[in-house]
């Protein structure tokens, strides 16, 4: 899909886009004339002419390439082609160079569990991902194959909120009965349950077969992450913590600029790290009650226990 996107980007023609944009501008201006607001709002249908600034050069100065004088050609070179080059470079750096990791990730999704059960995955599958997540590949595949076998049997009673298992083999039935207690189970494992009130009212249907977070929550809600599927859970944790974009990193630096200002220039690294962590993870911090914080401080020393009691 990424290669196809790169090919489609390379096929973009500036003249076709310019022609379509000019037609759109003329159509909008015609609509404005009909509504008698053409004098107030107009859409430019051509590039404006700008004055060419010429710098004085010394006699022994090496000449540079002259900038294009045509505004259309200048926009094509400096804006259009620059954006296309940046798009292709970003797609290659983030996706094309990580084909193996992306290919390994797909086998962790429930929609590919049939291929995993039938052992139709390639021999090199999960090799790169197991190295990055520091787990044994053979154990990871064994755990994934077993989990893929019982996944549908686990999900069905959870969705129906029923404690009875249907259509299970003797081996899998014994495994599930020994490790899972559905009566004391917290059934809020699905990401769809944790949606906000606004999101529940939308028409978006959550697909669990494409959600790796649902699988992770399922393992934790059934208490299967240790020790039964420890390697599988560690691999899923690694995938879920991968940063898809640079937004998180840029957000941390933005918080750093706010926290370490002119008045806090001499703050220590330990305090600075704590303040940044509290600022970035503010949603988690808001969920911690004040009573829990006080109890934690009281347990840290006898003096604080006396003062806070």
């Amino acid at each position: 899909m990424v290669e196809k996107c790169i090919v489609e980007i390379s096929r973009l023609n500036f003249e076709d886009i310019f022609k379509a944009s000019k037609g759109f501008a003329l159509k909008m201006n015609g609509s404005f004339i009909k509504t008698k607001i053409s004098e107030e709002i107009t859409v430019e249908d051509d590039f404006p002419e700008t004055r060419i600034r010429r710098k004085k050069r010394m006699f022994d100065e090496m000449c540079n390439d002259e900038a294009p004088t045509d505004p259309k050609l200048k926009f094509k070179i400096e804006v259009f082609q620059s954006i296309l080059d940046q798009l292709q470079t970003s797609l290659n750096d983030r996706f094309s160079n990580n084909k193996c990791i992306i290919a390994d990730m797909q086998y962790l999704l429930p929609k590919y569990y049939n291929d995993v059960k039938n052992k139709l995955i390639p021999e090199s599958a999960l090799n790169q991902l197991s190295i990055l997540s520091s787990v044994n590949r053979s154990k990871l595949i064994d755990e994934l194959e077993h989990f893929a076998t019982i996944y549908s049997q686990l999900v069905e009673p959870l969705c129906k909120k029923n404690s009875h298992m249907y259509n299970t083999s003797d081996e899998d039935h014994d495994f599930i009965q020994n490790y899972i207690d559905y009566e004391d189970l917290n059934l809020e494992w699905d990401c769809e349950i944790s949606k906000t009130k606004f999101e529940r009212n939308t028409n978006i249907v959550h697909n669990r077969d494409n959600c790796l977070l649902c699988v992770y929550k399922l393992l934790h809600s059934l208490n299967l992450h240790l020790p039964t599927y420890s390697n599988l859970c560690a691999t899923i944790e690694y995938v879920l913590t991968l940063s898809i974009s640079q937004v998180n990193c840029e957000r941390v630096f933005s918080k750093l600029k706010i926290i370490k200002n002119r008045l806090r220039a001499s703050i220590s690294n330990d305090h600075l790290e704590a303040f940044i962590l509290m600022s970035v993870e503010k949603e988690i911090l808001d969920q911690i009650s004040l009573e829990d914080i006080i109890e934690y401080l009281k347990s840290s020393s006898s003096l604080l226990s006396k003062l806070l009691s």
Side-chain angles (χ1 to χ4, degrees):
M1 184 176 66
V2 177
E3 286 78 7
K4 185 177 180 181
C5 182
I6 294 175
V7 172
E8 292 296 329
I9 290 174
S10 62
R11 290 177 180 175
L12 292 176
N13 191 346
F14 176 76
E15 295 297 333
D16 295 339
I17 297 175
F18 177 74
K19 184 178 179 180
S21 302
K22 193 169 185 178
F24 172 78
L26 294 174
K27 185 177 180 180
M28 291 302 299
N29 288 330
S31 301
F32 292 151
I33 293 174
K34 293 179 181 179
T35 55
K36 298 180 180 180
I37 58 173
S38 59
E39 296 180 357
E40 300 177 2
I41 301 176
T42 56
V43 180
E44 293 185 0
D45 56 357
D46 206 348
F47 293 102
E49 295 286 344
T50 57
R51 184 175 65 88
I52 301 174
R53 301 182 62 182
R54 300 185 182 277
K55 295 182 179 180
K56 185 178 179 180
R57 298 181 184 275
M58 304 301 292
F59 69 95
D60 58 346
E61 186 176 357
M62 297 182 63
C63 296
N64 295 326
D65 294 336
E66 293 185 1
T69 57
D70 185 13
K72 178 181 175 181
L73 181 60
K74 183 178 181 181
F75 180 85
K76 179 181 178 180
I77 296 174
E78 296 181 357
V79 179
F80 180 76
Q81 293 180 349
S82 177
I83 292 175
L84 293 188
D85 291 341
Q86 188 174 0
L87 282 174
Q88 291 176 343
T89 304
S90 299
L91 289 173
N92 285 322
D93 292 341
R94 297 187 182 186
F95 297 101
S96 298
N97 296 336
N98 298 317
K99 290 181 181 178
C100 296
I101 301 176
I102 297 174
D104 289 346
M105 289 179 185
Q106 67 180 354
Y107 298 112
L108 300 177
L109 297 175
K111 66 178 182 179
Y112 293 102
Y113 282 175
N114 288 329
D115 295 340
V116 175
K117 286 190 297 183
N118 299 325
K119 298 183 179 181
L120 299 177
I121 60 176
E123 295 181 358
S124 60
L126 301 175
N127 187 23
Q128 187 70 20
L129 195 57
S130 61
I131 295 174
L132 294 173
S133 55
S134 301
V135 298
N136 187 280
R137 179 178 176 273
S138 59
K139 293 182 179 179
L140 174 61
I141 292 178
D142 292 340
E143 292 179 5
L144 182 60
E145 288 178 353
H146 188 268
F147 181 73
T149 305
I150 66 172
Y151 174 76
S152 59
Q153 303 164 9
L154 294 174
V155 172
E156 184 177 359
L158 284 175
C159 296
K160 295 181 179 180
K161 295 187 178 182
N162 193 338
S163 61
H164 184 68
M165 302 297 296
Y166 298 98
N167 300 325
T168 58
S169 62
D170 295 337
E171 182 180 355
D172 293 336
H173 182 78
D174 295 338
F175 169 80
I176 295 171
Q177 291 296 330
N178 291 333
Y179 283 90
I180 302 172
D181 186 6
Y182 283 94
E183 294 181 358
D184 299 330
L185 181 63
N186 182 11
L187 297 175
E188 295 187 0
W189 63 276
D190 196 346
C191 297
E192 191 174 12
I193 298 176
S194 61
K195 287 184 177 181
T196 61
K197 184 177 180 181
F198 173 77
E199 291 173 332
R200 291 195 192 102
N201 295 330
T202 60
N203 295 324
I204 300 175
V205 179
H206 180 70
N207 187 3
R208 301 186 189 94
D209 291 339
N210 290 327
C211 184
L212 191 59
L213 184 58
C214 288
V215 178
Y216 182 74
K217 287 189 174 184
L218 176 63
L219 289 170
H220 272 266
S221 62
L222 300 179
N223 201 22
L224 297 176
H225 57 292
L226 289 174
T228 313
Y229 298 111
S230 58
N231 295 286
L232 177 60
C233 196
T235 306
I236 294 176
E237 285 180 353
Y238 175 81
V239 173
L240 292 176
T241 53
L242 288 177
S243 180
I244 305 301
S245 64
Q246 300 176 354
V247 175
N248 294 330
C249 181
E250 293 175 358
R251 185 182 292 117
V252 171
F253 281 103
S254 299
K255 297 291 184 181
L256 175 63
K257 186 177 180 181
I258 296 173
I259 294 172
K260 193 170 183 179
N261 53 22
R262 179 175 59 86
L263 300 177
R264 298 197 188 105
S266 60
I267 189 173
S268 63
N269 291 332
D270 294 337
H271 287 113
L272 181 62
E273 182 180 355
F275 288 149
I276 291 176
L277 185 62
M278 288 188 293
S279 180
V280 173
E281 304 295 344
K282 189 175 183 299
E283 296 180 357
I284 300 176
L285 187 63
D286 291 339
Q287 297 177 0
I288 303 175
S289 62
L290 183 60
E291 290 76 10
D292 295 338
I293 298 176
I294 294 175
E295 291 296 328
Y296 178 78
L297 293 175
K298 287 169 63 176
S299 62
S300 61
S301 67
S302 58
L303 179 60
L304 288 175
S305 179
K306 293 179 181 179
L307 294 174
L308 297 175
S309 297

